[in-house]
Amino acid sequence: MDKIKKVVLAYSGGLDTSIIIPWLKENYDGCEVIAMAADLGQGEELSGLEERAIGTGASKLYIEDLKEELVNEFIIPCLKANAVYEGKYLLGTSFARPIIAKRLVEIAAKENADAIAHGCTGKGNDQVRFELGIKAFAPGMKIIAPWRLWDIKSRDEEIDYAIEKNIPIKLTRETNYSKDRNLWHLSHEGLDLEDPANEPMYDKILELSVSPEKAPDEPTYVTLSFEKGIPTKIDGVEYSPVEIIQKLNELGGKNGIGIVDLVENRLVGMKSRGVYETPGGTILYYAHKEIESLCLDRETAHYKELVSVKFGELVYFGQWYTPLREALSAFVDKTQETVTGEVKLKLYKGNILTAGITSPYSLYSEEIATFGEDEVYDQKDAEGFINLFGLPIAVKAKLIDKK
Amino acid sequence: MDKIKKVVLAYSGGLDTSIIIPWLKENYDGCEVIAMAADLGQGEELSGLEERAIGTGASKLYIEDLKEELVNEFIIPCLKANAVYEGKYLLGTSFARPIIAKRLVEIAAKENADAIAHGCTGKGNDQVRFELGIKAFAPGMKIIAPWRLWDIKSRDEEIDYAIEKNIPIKLTRETNYSKDRNLWHLSHEGLDLEDPANEPMYDKILELSVSPEKAPDEPTYVTLSFEKGIPTKIDGVEYSPVEIIQKLNELGGKNGIGIVDLVENRLVGMKSRGVYETPGGTILYYAHKEIESLCLDRETAHYKELVSVKFGELVYFGQWYTPLREALSAFVDKTQETVTGEVKLKLYKGNILTAGITSPYSLYSEEIATFGEDEVYDQKDAEGFINLFGLPIAVKAKLIDKK
Amino acid sequence: MDKIKKVVLAYSGGLDTSIIIPWLKENYDGCEVIAMAADLGQGEELSGLEERAIGTGASKLYIEDLKEELVNEFIIPCLKANAVYEGKYLLGTSFARPIIAKRLVEIAAKENADAIAHGCTGKGNDQVRFELGIKAFAPGMKIIAPWRLWDIKSRDEEIDYAIEKNIPIKLTRETNYSKDRNLWHLSHEGLDLEDPANEPMYDKILELSVSPEKAPDEPTYVTLSFEKGIPTKIDGVEYSPVEIIQKLNELGGKNGIGIVDLVENRLVGMKSRGVYETPGGTILYYAHKEIESLCLDRETAHYKELVSVKFGELVYFGQWYTPLREALSAFVDKTQETVTGEVKLKLYKGNILTAGITSPYSLYSEEIATFGEDEVYDQKDAEGFINLFGLPIAVKAKLIDKK
Amino acid sequence: MDKIKKVVLAYSGGLDTSIIIPWLKENYDGCEVIAMAADLGQGEELSGLEERAIGTGASKLYIEDLKEELVNEFIIPCLKANAVYEGKYLLGTSFARPIIAKRLVEIAAKENADAIAHGCTGKGNDQVRFELGIKAFAPGMKIIAPWRLWDIKSRDEEIDYAIEKNIPIKLTRETNYSKDRNLWHLSHEGLDLEDPANEPMYDKILELSVSPEKAPDEPTYVTLSFEKGIPTKIDGVEYSPVEIIQKLNELGGKNGIGIVDLVENRLVGMKSRGVYETPGGTILYYAHKEIESLCLDRETAHYKELVSVKFGELVYFGQWYTPLREALSAFVDKTQETVTGEVKLKLYKGNILTAGITSPYSLYSEEIATFGEDEVYDQKDAEGFINLFGLPIAVKAKLIDKK
């Protein structure tokens, strides 16, 4: 293996990244390992983390609060784009990787490190997202992905290794779903979910939310305000986007909203199956589309549907820091200039129902839409419209179909 | 006005089409009016209709049962395509117009009529859908759309006209939502719905379904089987597609499923707002997408997302009988060859939750998807994949970003 | 007809718009007619125009030099987008209509006019482009399109009317192709071109260019410089975009470049056939794509191909002043940030051949592209790439095809 | 390395594949090597090939004539789709790889071989196309790509190896462009072409065609007939598609047609530069689009432009044997049902000019297109059309822009 003197490791404090520290030191000639933990709102205790990292052999731990950046530079652009992957997945893990990658590169530069390591397996999307993010800022940086290199092939073997190396973390051979959590979502994979024929055991799985059955019998009404596509208020009170997500996570979670069970196509070529909880995000996406339904004209709205699909794909594929994603964001931002207004929602046992939309930029005109006469729309115009819109059909029928 | 001797009228027996009969006779020199009512599963009494039509001045009434054709030639192709308009509308009215138009032309040909009339207003989509359908089969046919011609501008004026002409139908000045119903759906427009700021009064509106609040506290499980994208069984019992829709309407309606509140962009240029009930259709669309998630590969699935948008747009715009719609159907049909399997669903108070998917053509491989080793996937391959997939990013970072 | 007191007329001084002046005065109670002629580089004498307009009954003539605006605000955005209609048409007439429409509205506002008139026929695209442009800035403005109103149906009838009204213009009953010319192009329609089976008689038709047969036997080399997608220099000498187009028109015209014979689909529903000369524009489009081939990454380039099609459609359809066109321009502008460099071209008898491309932002790396070893690309990576890129194919072959 | 007993090798008889034979035997324990050479119309002597293959150590040589299959199952579908990569490349090498891969698998099955080898480098697209083709029919087949394995890194080292192994082929250290030739095209890469700043030395490069300068001073006229998108006749005489391509190669080559100089984006992530000669193919693509301009309606034509881009990408990426390519072909085939007619072309010094198009399925109607009155098109309809088509613009201007 190459000569590596100092490695920056994306560190969570879990079993995986804990055993990577001694493994790196063992396999790279006692190299120095600097750990970096990102606070993305995963809601776990980060206070004992430094002790643990150093106890496992790291020389230093950076704890980086990236919540604001995650929301403003990743989540909001996705929300404006209505970006979604395969019609269901709100990209919670996808956009959390590039942001960490960028910070890893910054720390590696500051620390003069010669490699970056991560604990992703060789079968998942996250390795790609991490490494594309690293390449975008440090194309020549050595990347170490122990799961693609070592002989450890299971949790049991990890624990054996941890015991062998005296790694001071609480070990349990109990298995659990593989999870990824941040401010936006919580994902679950593995165990019984690995067979798509199995119904998810939501009672065991859910953490951010309750199942619709357990949600209150009374609906919750909530009003969201948007300015240029960005959520700004809940029930008339201004909050930062981070706070808005946190508050909507509570409301959504309580009402059983945002639970998705998905068989998805990974970038690395196989299908996988997961359960996602995105309570606040699901509300925000729904509300944003509602306000857009009033504020975007048809041509823009229809084209944006196609952009949403591509945008979601790019984010899922880890292509955040690419010219195409940036150009699509420029498109999206332009469309959002009039996406301003209020959406009242009724949350009830897994359902989001619209209870009223208003906007100063509304393109809906009651006068024009309704049955009777108005000043702008002359019903006689419809005949001409239909005749020309239908001209190709008529011409074809006249010239061809008779043959 | 042109000399018209015999007109075929799309007839429902309601106030609109009832007054059109005498109006046609009055305005076209006592022309003969032949009425045609389509049975699309709207569930209304068609038995007294002949009497009413003739009592109003029609010389004849055709009652055409188009349910099978509607389902097999319109609904199933849309379902296979996951065709939807503006992300929400399942096209229930849209595909009901071309099928009627085609039959109107057939009757006009048989009856040697020189015009076709319909009762659509000049502000809606339906006039376009009717007329494009007519042009596709009879491009030179004279089309009469009284709402774009006469001076009647409101329900009140219609009733006045009906009284003046002694039209023998039950008249009421009570207003109600403007509705369109068939086997697939029921739509509601007008009254308080005309202001998008108003929450729909679902208790007053809903007919095919109950609101989630009124749905049973116990979930309903149902298993749907598909063959090549076509639903074939419910809970293992074979039914015709028409029966499947009818049964799922019951199940879905009971469980508060398929209620949509939508501000949509009409083809004729304005926004309108409607509430749609599509209980069975919503279940079928959901289930179809689930089985596709197992059976379609990623490239096909992602491209098909774009085709769905276009397909939905074409159907909404009345462009059913066009070369592009037919070519897109050829695309879709090809993708459905392996869309075969079973989807178990849990219906609960407005929610559809997946409770298991299986398929003999499943592309999901538990062996490949899971964490450990397998024979097909070598995790070491991921490094090469990432390096080449990320090469453009690295090259750009090397060559450009340093400038 | 409505009471109209003052009309602003889009005026060219030709027969069509000359007879419209007395026709307007006759049909709108002696209304005042203000003529507006736009200088878009059509290269015709505008000096006697005022006299002629007033001699025909106009109270005033505005001559508006819109060349700079045409180039900077319409042509350059299209060039950056590689916008083209139906693969061949470089939109020369399409973007010349909205710019005139906007100025008509400005003059109407200044003059307090109550209508705008234009001389487009009811069968073409231009009426739509004019009127959409007017609606964008003056949605309530009365628009008068005499060709859709009067009984004149041919050139002969126009001349009869002109004689009857003593219109002081040189009249000739000779027919000619219908033309539209500006800085960017010259289009020809009508006469023998109306049958697509006829070969164009280029010797009679061409004005801006010679046919390839008549071009010089010696090639011309020319080097174009671009900055952020905008042409800035010819052979190293800086020029304004207007000058660049003028100079390239000369070079291209001389070398038989940019002649297009096209059966196109008009917005109003029929096919038409025309011959277009766009000598400079063709060179610019070609060169711009060449520089992009070096400077855009693959994902951006491929997506931009789709945007080009939509952009061209929007421009052709007259939807310049729409949110979607503006949002697509935002996308395009973002992609052009590194589209800087030089393209050397060889022009020879209708051919444009690339003779070298360079760019400080080139993403082409000779080191990586060539056969041998290099530092960035490890050929062994290809195996992993292929295995994962091909995984869906292998999985399908394993799981399904054996069935 | 794995135990391999019998390998089927894609064999050309050139230096690369000649040294692979002894290398395979040396590195895989004296495994048997069966060579397979495909006749794709590359126009080279295949008669001495068997002797050479066996002289180099192969136990057998299959010579497979795949010309008919290449044309009917690959080229014609691409032609119907107007499939092109990055606007310029007609895919000549791209579709030649999957067809060989499929035959390799068939021979491997027949011969009971346990591996397939090819001579593609690790930097190119062809390795991917070969291997994806192999995976589609033999997902578990071992694939050997010596260029990714051995230490040979240049032509000189290859020759040294050939001398060391006494390989009986004519050796020359002269370098030349790297070429790929078949019935459809001839590509050139390498040497001075590796710098995009260099003008191609066409006099040295071209083999299938002459440069425009050297083409005759007299134009050649040729008329092509199509049936359902497939070329069937030249100047009224029926030929097989293979013959048509051969004859058009002659005509096109003589007239300097179909020379492309392209900086393209490879699938494996880097840009490369090549010169392509596709004389007959360029004529066919041009003619096919011309006949489509008459026979396809606008909606189909515009959507097909997008499909062309995707289709070209799939072919270039080696994804021929995939569900998406097959579904897109189903779309394309449906559109071709009326693409029947004749196109007369004028070929002159690199130019293709249309000299007349006719079709029994033409949607062009001279009556409708021209200026005057006709029966189908009422110019007054245009007003209604414009008012509704422009309604969103007017509504926005009324409601929003005044704010």
Side-chain angles (χ1 to χ4, degrees), chain A residues 297-299 338 359-365 368 375-378 380-389 391-392 394-396 398-400 403, chain D residues 297-299 338 359-365 368 375-378 380-389 391-392 394-396 398-400 403:
Chain A
D297 65 293
R298 186 181 72 210
E299 299 298 307
T338 59
S359 167
Y361 297 98
S362 173
L363 297 171
Y364 178 93
S365 160
I368 300 176
E375 279 178 27
V376 180
Y377 191 100
D378 180 350
K380 289 182 181 57
D381 285 341
E383 186 182 344
F385 177 79
I386 296 169
N387 284 341
L388 300 208
F389 186 71
L391 188 63
V395 168
K396 179 172 172 289
K398 277 213 165 172
L399 298 182
I400 309 293
K403 297 204 179 193
Chain D
D297 65 292
R298 186 180 73 209
E299 298 298 308
T338 59
S359 167
Y361 298 98
S362 172
L363 297 170
Y364 179 92
S365 161
I368 300 175
E375 279 178 27
V376 180
Y377 190 100
D378 181 350
K380 289 183 181 56
D381 284 342
E383 186 181 344
F385 177 79
I386 296 168
N387 284 339
L388 300 208
F389 185 71
L391 188 63
V395 168
K396 178 171 173 289
K398 275 213 169 173
L399 299 182
I400 310 295
K403 296 198 181 190

Side-chain angles (χ1 to χ4, degrees), chain B residues 360-361 377 381 384 387 400 403, chain C residues 360-361 381 384 387-388 400 403:
Chain B
Y361 297 97
Y377 190 100
D381 284 343
N387 283 339
I400 309 295
K403 296 194 183 198
Chain C
Y361 297 98
D381 284 342
N387 283 340
L388 300 208
I400 309 294
K403 298 199 182 195

